[in-house]
Amino acid sequence: MLRRVNAPIVAGVALWIVLALPFVRVGLEARLVTHVLVQLLGLAAAGYLIGIGLRPHLARAMDRWNQYGAAGLALVISTGAIWMLPRAIDASLDSGLVASAKFVSLPLLLGVPLALSWPRFGTILRGFLKANFLSMTIFFGWLYIAAPVRLCNSYLIDDQTLLGTAFLLITAALSILWSVPLFFVPSQPNERRTMAASKDSAEDGTYELRPIH
Amino acid sequence: MRTFVATCLVLAAGLAAFTWATDGFRVATAEGARRLAVAEHPVTVPDVKLEDMDGRVLQLSQYQGRPLLVDFIYTTCPTVCQDLGQSFGEILEVQRKQGRENDIALLSISFDLENDTPELMRHFAEHHGADGKVWTIARPTNAADLQALLATFGVKVLPDPLVGFQHNVAIHLVDSQGRLARIVDPTTDAALAVLDQEVDRL
């Protein structure tokens, strides 16, 4: 039971409602770049906020069903893969059913499971996902700029180029945001251990791993 | 264990959904989807009235009995429609050389009802070599018929502030029974290939 007001859930639901308002929807869907980067990402963010609010309430169920965030990751990747298809973007404009699916699946099947699973991912998995996300956005950016044909029948080719440029800018921004902090973190213990081992092997020709105290 | 089961179930459902969304990993775009859909299930095209470049009125059903290639254009288009016109000109040339220009037909339909008068359509025809017999330029006589045609052929026309319109460009084969049966890239070779197939089938 929620005893007090759960701020992330309230914020998430509010964002969800705002994005679903008819005039907001029409305005964002008028251009490809706002459709993808504001509406689709906004819907996922709304779900992410709700997921943050749900974390304490679902901790036990997540321990059982979503250890290390594996099931959640599978759900996030599946949902994301479908909404990356240009065909899905077009269909969400032409079919009310697909539009409803968009407004339900992005928050509930992408945002919420990502928020519930992210804290459960190990460091290596997080790094792997970030690196893959960057290679994906740079690929999409390049594809949308270079494609000689329109990938969405509902949008002008200039819109597609603009989205591509936006993807490249996002890649650049995230690369900086995610990599710069790494230069300011002290060396990891296992890194020092490896350095010590290589020093030993240089001295007496044997390789032995010694923990440092 | 429960996490493993949950993960496998989610992956299976995700794979099924993705397979459905891409028609079995075959299409990623709406354009690809419409081409695949008509190739598998040809659609009967609406029998609308068209006004041609000489001001004559014709019915789309008149073309039944021979394969018909259709493209959608507007005559003031600076780029792709002129390329389409050139392709249709080349296709007509090839058919004449093979002596079978009477077995097939070409039709360029204008979706710019406001501006494309018979005079402008005739100008486009003269420029690209449309003779008005094998290859005709025509426009629907009202907006409702135009919408019915665009919906059946899966053509989306967007107003573009710079050049007038943007639209998905393709060449459409309507078979001898009046069904939209193939949609291909707007090149002479692609169109000739499906036309030959259709003529051979008859």
Side-chain angles (χ1 to χ4, degrees), chain A residues 62-68 70-71 74-75 78 81-82 85-88 90 93-94 150-158, chain B residues 2-3 6-7 10-11 14 17-18 20-23 27-31 33 154 156 158-162 166-168:
Chain A
M62 287 299 119
D63 285 343
R64 280 186 214 148
W65 294 96
N66 194 23
Q67 229 181 348
Y68 314 118
L75 191 52
S78 303
I82 288 176
L85 297 169
R87 181 189 188 184
D90 265 335
L93 297 170
D94 296 337
R150 289 181 308 143
L151 295 166
C152 284
N153 280 347
S154 308
Y155 291 105
L156 301 179
I157 191 111
D158 316 3
Chain B
R2 270 186 275 206
T3 294
T7 308
V10 170
L11 279 179
F18 192 80
W20 172 76
T22 56
D23 278 319
V27 293
T29 61
E31 183 66 15
K156 258 203 175 142
L158 310 172
D160 180 326
L162 288 180
Q166 280 191 22
H167 51 113
N168 38 343

Side-chain angles (χ1 to χ4, degrees), chain B residues 114-160:
Chain B
E114 216 170 292
N115 299 310
D116 277 344
T117 55
E119 289 71 40
L120 275 180
M121 291 194 286
R122 196 159 52 240
H123 183 254
F124 184 89
E126 280 160 8
H127 184 70
H128 290 289
D131 57 0
K133 281 182 245 138
V134 182
W135 180 13
T136 308
I137 320 288
R139 63 173 181 182
T141 54
N142 60 64
D145 282 356
L146 173 63
Q147 286 316 314
L149 277 179
L150 294 180
T152 307
F153 282 84
V155 174
K156 258 203 175 142
V157 178
L158 310 172
D160 180 326

Side-chain angles (χ1 to χ4, degrees), chain A:
Chain A
M1 281 287 107
L2 304 176
R3 283 185 219 100
R4 291 180 296 138
V5 175
N6 187 322
I9 293 189
V10 172
V13 172
L15 177 57
W16 199 354
I17 292 173
V18 168
L19 290 170
L21 291 174
F23 74 93
V24 176
R25 206 192 133 191
V26 170
L28 293 178
E29 287 175 356
R31 302 297 301 268
L32 180 61
V33 67
T34 49
H35 188 166
V36 173
L37 295 182
V38 183
Q39 190 192 68
L40 301 191
L41 280 187
L43 285 170
Y48 192 86
L49 288 169
I50 295 170
I52 290 175
L54 289 174
R55 269 178 198 160
H57 305 281
L58 292 177
R60 280 192 58 204
M62 287 299 119
D63 285 343
R64 280 186 214 148
W65 294 96
N66 194 23
Q67 229 181 348
Y68 314 118
L73 179 60
L75 191 52
V76 168
I77 289 175
S78 303
T79 313
I82 288 176
W83 286 109
M84 267 182 250
L85 297 169
R87 181 189 188 184
I89 308 270
D90 265 335
S92 80
L93 297 170
D94 296 337
S95 147
L97 198 66
V98 180
S100 313
K102 175 172 75 178
F103 275 87
V104 173
S105 67
L106 281 170
L108 297 186
L109 301 183
L110 198 152
V112 170
L114 184 61
L116 291 175
S117 307
W118 187 261
R120 294 167 183 272
F121 295 158
T123 319
I124 294 176
L125 179 59
R126 286 186 199 184
F128 175 81
L129 291 175
K130 284 178 177 174
N132 263 285
F133 188 81
L134 291 179
S135 64
M136 191 189 70
T137 49
I138 206 163
F139 169 75
F140 271 101
W142 176 59
L143 174 72
Y144 281 179
I145 290 173
V149 295
R150 289 181 308 143
L151 295 166
C152 284
N153 280 347
S154 308
Y155 291 105
L156 301 179
I157 191 111
D158 316 3
D159 256 17
Q160 187 169 304
T161 318
L162 190 64
L163 180 62
T165 312
F167 268 128
L168 292 188
L169 290 174
I170 288 172
T171 314
L174 286 179
S175 307
I176 293 167
L177 189 72
W178 286 342
S179 65
V180 165
L182 300 179
F183 293 102
F184 298 96
V185 183
S187 301
Q188 298 292 306
N190 57 353
E191 211 172 298
R192 279 186 297 179
R193 204 179 295 156
T194 321
M195 281 161 64
S198 55
K199 198 176 154 212
D200 286 351
S201 57
E203 276 166 8
D204 57 15
T206 58
Y207 185 88
E208 192 186 357
L209 209 69
R210 282 185 213 144
I212 287 180
H213 300 289

Side-chain angles (χ1 to χ4, degrees), chain B residues 42-43 63-68 173-182 198 201-202:
Chain B
V43 203
Y63 287 100
Q64 279 182 27
R66 53 188 167 154
L68 167 71
L173 173 77
V174 175
D175 67 15
S176 52
Q177 291 120 59
R179 299 176 312 167
L180 173 61
R182 291 297 297 274
E198 183 62 17
R201 205 177 60 89
L202 292 174

